[in-house]
C-alpha cells in the first residue's frame, strides 16, 4: 500500500519542527511511514502533549482530602459525601468553533460530556464560557449565532441542563473566538472508571459510532495559529450527533455495571491514536491494532485517516475477555458498533496493521509520556502604573454605559436557547450567580460557576490569575456553597513568544496561589495555546470552572430581594478603577493596574458569608461594574427599585476584590454588623431596595426604563 514520501513540506504541514523530526529519526533509526508521521504529529502537538505547559502545570495544587482523582484522567473526581462523587472538567473547542461555529461548539459539548461519562458518571450539568470579537466585527454575529445554537442543539438533544457560564466581547478575539465547555456528573465514589490498561492479551474494543474522515488532523490544527488559509481547515472540524451520544452514554453506563470494563477512554483529540496510546502508556503496555476491524462510515479509508479521524461519539475499551458476549449484547441493544480491533501486548510497541501490511510500528511510550517538553523563554510582564486621572461620571450614565454593552447586558437571549430544566433537578438557572443543581434523590446540591477577567490577566497576569479563582470562590460562597475544587481552561496566544509565555507563567503562579489559599485544588483542565490570527493574540483567558457543595438545600442563600431591604457591602472598598468595566465600556480605556487580590481576606469574607447565611436574603459577589452593577442586577431581577447613598464614581464602580453585596431586613442587618465586628470583617450599609426608581446620590432613572435597556440590548445588537 503506497503512502506519500516524507518531505520537509509534509513535516511542516504536520506541525513538527525540524528538531522534532530529527528526534523521531533518532527514536526510530529510520524514516517514519506517512501513518507514523501522522501519529507522531498528533501525539506531539501542543493539544495532546502539553509540551509548552507541562513544566508549569506541575506547580499547581492538585490534592486535598476531598480529591479522589486529580489531573491526568478524562475528568477530575471529588468526594461529596454519602458515597457519592462529582466528576467534572472544562475543555476548549476554540479553533473548530471559529472555522465552523455550529459543529465546533456542538462537538465541544459532546466531547466534554464523554469525558464525564467515560469515568462512570451520569452528566447532571453543563456550562460554557464564550469569548467573541467586537460586536460590530463582520464575523461576530455569525459566530455568536452558530456557537450558541450549536451548544443548545447538542446539549438540549442529549438532555443535560446548561446552568451557567459567561459571554464576553473584545476586539482581541476578532480572529479567534473561545468556546470553553464544562460538564459535571454524579457517580458512586467507589465505581469510578479509569483509562489505565492492564493485563497482557486483553481485547481492545471499539465502541460507538462509525469512523469517517471528519476531523482528520483536528488536534494538529488546534495547535497552530490561524492565517489566510483558514478556510482550507474546514474539513478538520468534526460533526456531532447528540442522539448517538445519548445512546453511547446509556450503553457505557450499562456496560460498566456488568463488570466487563478494565479501562475505557473517550476518543477525543487525535481519535483512535490518542486513546490507544494513552491507555497503553498509563498501564505500561503496548497496543496492537488491526484497522480492518474498525467500523467505517466511508469506503476506502486509509490507515492514516482511521488513526487520525476525530469522528464523534466513539470510545475505546480494554475488555475482560470472559465478558465479551455480555458486553456485545449491551451495544447491540443500543444499536451501536462493538468491534474487537486489537489487544494489549507486553512490548513497548504501538503496532498498526491494515490489509495485511504493517502501517506503523512505534515505541508506544515515546509517543506519550516521553513526548517533547519545552522550557520556553518568558518575559515577566511589568505591571502598569496605577490609574492617575480617576474619571467621574453621572452614576446613571455610567450604569447605562454598562448595561447597554453586550458584555454586561442581560444574556437572556443566550441562555433561553439552552434547556436549563431538563432532568428536573435545577434549583437556580443562569442569569444571576452560580448555577445550582440538586443531587438527585437527596437534599444536597452542587453549585457551578466559570470565571475570569481577561483585562486583569493582560495587565497583571499573576493578580489576574488569582482573581479568576477568587471570583469563582466568591460566586460559590454567595449562594452558600462550600467551594470544593476547580478545573482550568488556559487560553493563550503563541507560547513561542516570550511575552505570551510570560502571561501564561504569571497566570499559573496566581492561580496556584489562590487555589492553595482557598482550598480549591485543580483536579482537571485543558490548555489551549496558539490562539492567534496573523500574529494577533487573544487576551490571556485562563477560565476557572469551580464546583461547590450545599449539604442541604436549606443552606442555600437565595435572591429574595424585597421592598425595604437594606443593602450592605461586606469587604474593603477603596474605589479601584484600574482595568475596570466602567473604564473600558464608558471611557474606552484599558489602563491602570488590575485590582490587588488579598487571599486571606477572600477566605475570611467568604467564610463569614457562609457562616451568617441565616441573616442574608440575597447575596452576590462584587466584580465587574462594582457595587452599582451588582446592586442593579439584584434590583432588576426582583423588580424592586434601588437607592444607593453615594454618587462617587470610584465608590460605585470600583472593582476592589473580596467583596459581597448583601440584601436583608433591618434586624438582620444589625445582626450582620455585630457578627462582622466580632469576626474582623469590614461591612458597611450602602443603601436600600425600595420604590420603582434606581437612584444613586441625586442621580436617578425609572427601574423599568433601565430594565428595558438591560433586557433588550443583547438581542438588539447580536440576536
Amino acid at each position: 500500500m503506497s503512502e506519500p514520501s516524507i518531505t520537509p513540506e509534509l513535516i511542516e504541514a504536520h506541525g513538527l519542527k525540524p528538531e522534532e523530526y530529527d528526534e523521531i529519526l533518532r527514536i526510530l533509526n529510520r524514516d517514519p511511514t506517512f501513518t507514523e508521521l501522522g501519529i507522531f504529529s498528533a501525539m506531539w502537538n501542543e493539544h495532546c502533549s502539553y509540551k509548552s505547559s507541562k513544566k508549569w502545570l506541575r506547580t499547581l495544587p492538585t490534592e486535598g482530602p476531598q480529591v479522589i482523582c486529580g489531573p491526568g484522567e478524562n475528568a477530575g473526581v471529588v468526594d461529596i459525601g454519602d458515597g457519592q462523587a462529582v466528576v467534572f472538567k472544562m475543555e476548549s473547542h476554540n479553533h473548530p468553533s471559529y472555522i465552523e461555529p455550529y459543529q465546533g461548539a456542538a462537538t465541544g459539548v459532546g466531547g466534554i460530556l464523554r469525558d464525564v461519562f467515560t469515568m462512570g458518571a451520569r452528566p447532571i450539568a453543563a456550562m460554557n464560557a464564550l469569548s467573541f470579537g467586537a460586536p460590530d466585527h463582520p464575523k461576530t454575529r455569525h459566530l455568536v449565532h452558530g456557537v450558541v445554537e450549536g451548544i443548545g442543539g447538542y446539549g438540549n438533544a442529549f438532555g443535560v441542563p446548561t446552568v451557567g457560564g459567561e459571554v464576553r466581547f473584545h476586539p482581541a478575539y476578532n480572529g479567534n473566538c473561545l468556546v470553553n465547555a464544562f460538564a459535571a456528573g454524579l457517580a458512586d465514589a467507589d465505581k469510578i472508571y479509569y483509562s489505565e490498561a492492564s493485563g497482557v492479551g486483553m481485547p481492545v474494543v471499539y465502541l460507538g459510532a462509525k469512523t469517517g474522515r471528519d476531523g482528520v488532523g483536528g488536534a494538529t490544527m488546534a495547535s497552530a495559529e490561524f492565517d489566510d488559509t483558514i478556510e482550507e481547515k474546514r474539513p478538520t472540524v468534526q460533526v456531532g450527533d447528540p442522539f448517538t451520544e445519548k445512546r453511547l452514554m446509556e450503553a457505557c453506563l450499562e456496560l460498566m455495571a456488568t463488570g466487563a470494563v478494565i479501562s475505557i477512554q473517550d476518543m477525543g483529540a487525535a481519535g483512535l491514536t490518542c486513546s490507544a496510546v494513552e491507555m497503553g502508556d498509563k498501564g505500561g503496555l503496548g497496543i496492537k491494532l488491526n484497522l480492518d476491524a474498525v467500523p467505517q462510515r466511508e469506503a476506502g479509508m486509509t490507515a492514516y485517516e482511521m488513526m487520525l479521524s476525530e469522528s464523534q461519539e466513539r470510545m475505546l475499551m480494554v475488555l475482560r475477555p470472559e465478558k465479551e458476549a455480555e458486553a456485545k449484547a449491551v451495544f447491540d441493544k443500543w444499536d451501536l458498533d462493538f468491534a474487537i480491533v486489537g489487544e494489549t501486548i507486553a512490548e513497548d510497541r504501538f503496532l498498526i496493521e491494515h490489509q495485511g501490511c504493517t502501517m506503523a510500528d512505534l515505541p508506544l511510550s515515546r509517543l506519550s509520556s516521553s513526548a517533547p517538553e519545552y522550557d520556553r523563554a518568558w518575559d515577566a510582564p511589568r505591571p502598569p502604573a496605577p490609574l492617575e486621572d480617576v474619571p467621574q461620571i453621572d452614576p446613571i450614565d455610567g450604569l447605562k454605559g454598562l448595561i447597554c454593552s453586550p458584555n454586561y447586558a442581560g444574556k437572556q437571549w443566550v441562555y433561553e436557547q439552552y434547556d436549563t430544566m431538563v432532568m428536573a433537578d435545577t434549583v437556580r438557572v443562569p442569569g444571576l450567580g452560580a448555577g445550582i443543581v440538586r443531587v438527585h434523590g437527596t437534599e444536597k446540591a452542587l453549585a457551578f460557576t466559570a470565571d475570569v477577567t481577561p483585562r486583569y490577566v493582560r495587565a497583571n497576569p499573576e493578580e489576574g490569575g488569582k482573581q479568576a479563582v477568587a471570583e469563582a470562590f466568591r460566586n460559590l460562597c454567595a449562594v452558600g456553597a462550600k467551594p470544593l475544587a476547580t478545573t482550568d481552561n488556559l487560553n493563550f496566544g503563541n507560547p513561542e513568544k516570550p511575552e505570551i509565555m510570560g502571561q501564561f507563567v504569571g497566570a499559573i503562579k496566581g492561580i496556584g496561589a489562590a487555589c492553595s489559599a482557598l482550598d480549591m485544588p485543580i483536579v482537571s483542565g485543558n490548555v489551549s495555546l496558539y490562539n492567534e490570527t496573523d500574529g494577533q493574540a487573544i487576551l490571556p483567558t485562563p477560565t476557572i470552572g469551580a464546583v461547590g457543595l450545599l449539604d442541604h438545600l436549606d443552606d442555600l442563600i437565595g435572591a429574595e430581594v424585597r421592598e425595604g431591604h437594606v443593602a450592605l457591602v461586606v469587604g474593603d472598598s477603596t474605589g479601584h478603577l484600574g482595568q475596570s468595566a466602567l473604564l473600558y465600556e464608558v471611557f474606552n480605556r484599558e489602563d491602570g493596574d488590575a485590582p490587588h487580590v488579598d487571599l486571606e481576606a477572600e477566605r475570611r469574607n467568604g467564610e463569614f458569608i457562609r457562616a451568617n447565611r441565616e441573616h442574608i436574603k440575597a447575596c452576590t459577589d462584587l466584580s465587574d461594574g462594582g457595587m452599582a452593577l451588582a446592586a442593579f442586577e439584584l434590583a432588576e431581577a426582583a423588580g424592586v427599585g434601588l437607592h444607593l447613598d453615594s454618587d462617587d464614581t470610584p465608590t460605585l464602580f470600583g472593582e476592589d476584590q473580596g467583596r459581597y453585596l448583601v440584601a436583608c431586613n433591618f434586624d438582620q442587618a444589625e445582626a450582620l454588623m455585630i457578627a462582622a465586628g466580632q469576626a474582623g470583617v469590614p461591612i458597611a450599609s450602602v443603601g436600600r431596595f425600595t420604590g420603582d426608581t434606581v437612584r444613586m446620590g441625586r442621580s436617578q432613572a425609572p427601574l423599568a426604563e433601565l430594565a428595558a435597556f438591560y433586557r433588550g440590548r443583547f438581542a438588539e445588537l447580536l440576536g
Side-chain angles (χ1 to χ4, degrees), residues 26-48:
R26 280 192 289 273
I27 289 169
L28 299 181
N29 199 27
R30 60 173 172 81
D31 290 336
T33 67
F34 180 57
T35 300
E36 289 174 335
L37 182 72
I39 289 170
F40 270 109
S41 166
M43 293 308 302
W44 282 13
N45 66 51
E46 203 72 58
H47 192 79
C48 293

Side-chain angles (χ1 to χ4, degrees), residues 427 436 438 442-445 479-481 549-558 560 610 612-617:
V427 176
I436 303 168
R438 178 197 300 266
T442 75
E443 290 302 307
K444 295 190 297 188
V479 298
L549 177 66
L550 288 151
D551 288 323
H552 198 284
L553 279 167
D554 290 346
D555 296 335
L556 173 65
I557 298 174
E560 303 170 24
R610 298 203 312 272
N612 290 279
R613 68 187 88 207
E614 72 271 18
H615 303 310
I616 299 172
K617 291 296 186 183

Side-chain angles (χ1 to χ4, degrees), residues 496-534:
E496 297 169 50
K497 298 178 179 178
E499 67 273 18
I500 299 294
M501 198 64 204
Q503 293 175 346
F504 183 86
V505 172
I508 287 282
K509 289 179 177 179
I511 290 167
C515 287
S516 292
L518 302 175
D519 285 342
M520 296 170 70
I522 298 276
V523 297
S524 59
N526 172 245
V527 178
S528 176
L529 302 177
Y530 295 95
N531 289 288
E532 297 198 7
T533 296
D534 296 327

Side-chain angles (χ1 to χ4, degrees), residues 62-334:
T62 60
E63 298 179 347
Q66 71 275 40
V67 178
I68 295 172
C69 175
E73 277 293 338
N74 289 288
V77 186
V78 175
D79 194 339
I80 61 169
D82 304 312
Q84 292 180 299
V86 59
V87 178
F88 64 97
K89 187 183 184 183
M90 181 172 264
E91 196 161 70
S92 61
H93 230 224
N94 303 335
H95 285 56
S97 298
Y98 187 75
I99 297 168
E100 214 313 302
Y102 185 96
Q103 290 297 347
T107 53
V109 174
I112 201 67
L113 290 169
R114 284 195 304 281
D115 282 338
V116 167
F117 69 74
T118 301
M119 303 289 291
R122 181 174 291 276
I124 61 163
M127 293 190 297
N128 51 80
L130 312 176
S131 301
F132 299 104
D136 58 356
H137 187 272
K139 284 206 73 164
T140 297
R141 190 182 178 96
H142 165 70
L143 290 170
V144 170
H145 277 258
V147 166
V148 170
E149 290 167 10
I151 290 169
Y154 203 102
N156 297 353
F158 179 86
V160 63
T162 299
V163 300
E166 55 181 3
V167 186
R168 73 175 54 81
F169 298 85
H170 190 281
Y173 304 104
N174 281 348
N176 213 122
C177 66
L178 301 183
V179 175
N180 294 175
F182 170 100
L186 284 174
D188 291 339
D190 61 350
K191 293 176 183 171
I192 305 298
Y193 287 83
Y194 299 99
S195 58
E196 179 183 323
S198 64
V200 175
M202 297 296 112
V204 174
V205 185
Y206 175 113
L207 306 169
K210 288 179 168 55
T211 293
R213 292 187 171 92
D214 48 327
V216 172
T220 300
M221 177 269 291
S223 304
E225 296 179 32
F226 284 150
D227 54 28
D228 56 11
T229 65
I230 184 171
E231 286 302 318
E232 297 171 14
K233 297 184 169 86
R234 191 172 298 276
T236 61
V237 178
Q238 313 93 321
V239 177
D241 178 356
F243 301 104
T244 298
E245 177 117 329
K246 175 71 171 175
R247 287 185 288 123
L248 179 63
M249 178 191 72
E250 296 296 351
C252 284
L253 295 179
E254 188 174 331
L255 178 69
M256 290 164 177
T258 68
V261 178
I262 294 175
S263 63
I264 188 165
Q265 174 78 32
D266 152 47
M267 282 196 229
L272 188 54
T273 289
C274 193
S275 55
V277 168
E278 288 189 358
M279 290 172 78
D281 189 55
K282 288 175 184 175
L285 296 169
I287 300 282
K288 178 181 178 181
L289 297 179
N290 175 14
L291 300 187
D292 297 347
V294 170
Q296 296 163 54
R297 194 172 68 230
E298 301 178 46
M301 289 191 70
T302 65
Y304 179 96
E305 290 170 332
M306 280 186 272
M307 292 307 298
L308 297 186
S309 167
E310 294 183 7
S311 294
Q312 297 293 287
E313 293 87 43
R314 302 180 301 158
M315 296 281 189
L316 199 64
M317 171 183 68
V318 178
L319 171 73
R320 298 190 190 282
E322 69 275 13
K323 295 278 190 176
E324 179 186 337
E326 191 175 355
K328 186 176 186 305
V330 170
F331 274 75
D332 287 346
K333 167 188 164 183
W334 288 101

Side-chain angles (χ1 to χ4, degrees), residues 392-474:
Q392 293 284 337
I393 190 171
D394 177 89
I396 293 297
D397 288 344
L399 180 61
K400 284 181 179 178
L402 292 178
I403 64 176
C404 288
S405 154
N407 279 313
Y408 303 107
K411 304 298 191 302
Q412 289 85 355
W413 180 87
V414 175
Y415 63 73
E416 285 175 359
Q417 296 187 54
Y418 305 150
D419 190 333
T420 60
M421 301 303 293
V422 64
M423 301 178 79
D425 281 316
T426 304
V427 176
R428 180 180 288 183
V429 299
L432 195 64
I436 303 168
V437 174
R438 178 197 300 266
V439 176
H440 190 73
T442 75
E443 290 302 307
K444 295 190 297 188
L446 290 163
F448 305 100
T449 186
D451 299 286
V452 67
T453 307
R455 290 190 315 277
Y456 293 172
V457 186
R458 184 171 64 179
N460 189 327
E462 192 160 346
E463 290 301 314
K466 286 184 198 172
Q467 192 274 341
V469 177
E471 186 175 345
F473 175 85
R474 289 197 302 272

Side-chain angles (χ1 to χ4, degrees), residues 458-617:
R458 184 171 64 179
N460 189 327
E462 192 160 346
E463 290 301 314
K466 286 184 198 172
Q467 192 274 341
V469 177
E471 186 175 345
F473 175 85
R474 289 197 302 272
N475 272 320
L476 297 176
C477 291
V479 298
K482 179 183 178 182
L484 288 179
T486 55
T487 180
D488 59 4
N489 203 149
L490 308 174
N491 308 272
F492 290 82
N494 184 345
E496 297 169 50
K497 298 178 179 178
E499 67 273 18
I500 299 294
M501 198 64 204
Q503 293 175 346
F504 183 86
V505 172
I508 287 282
K509 289 179 177 179
I511 290 167
C515 287
S516 292
L518 302 175
D519 285 342
M520 296 170 70
I522 298 276
V523 297
S524 59
N526 172 245
V527 178
S528 176
L529 302 177
Y530 295 95
N531 289 288
E532 297 198 7
T533 296
D534 296 327
Q536 297 297 307
I538 60 163
L539 292 180
T541 310
T543 309
I544 299 295
V547 177
L549 177 66
L550 288 151
D551 288 323
H552 198 284
L553 279 167
D554 290 346
D555 296 335
L556 173 65
I557 298 174
E560 303 170 24
V561 175
R562 297 284 186 271
E563 170 70 35
H565 274 173
V566 178
L568 303 170
V569 168
V570 172
D572 269 321
S573 297
T574 65
H576 183 98
L577 282 175
Q579 299 296 330
S580 65
L582 182 80
L583 205 64
Y584 177 65
E585 299 291 353
V586 177
F587 296 97
N588 196 29
R589 291 170 54 187
E590 293 180 82
D591 48 338
D593 199 357
H596 173 67
V597 179
D598 181 337
L599 293 170
E600 189 175 319
E602 290 281 3
R603 182 168 185 137
R604 179 196 65 206
N605 297 352
E607 289 175 348
F608 172 80
I609 292 291
R610 298 203 312 272
N612 290 279
R613 68 187 88 207
E614 72 271 18
H615 303 310
I616 299 172
K617 291 296 186 183

Side-chain angles (χ1 to χ4, degrees), residues 21 171 240 606:
Y21 185 72

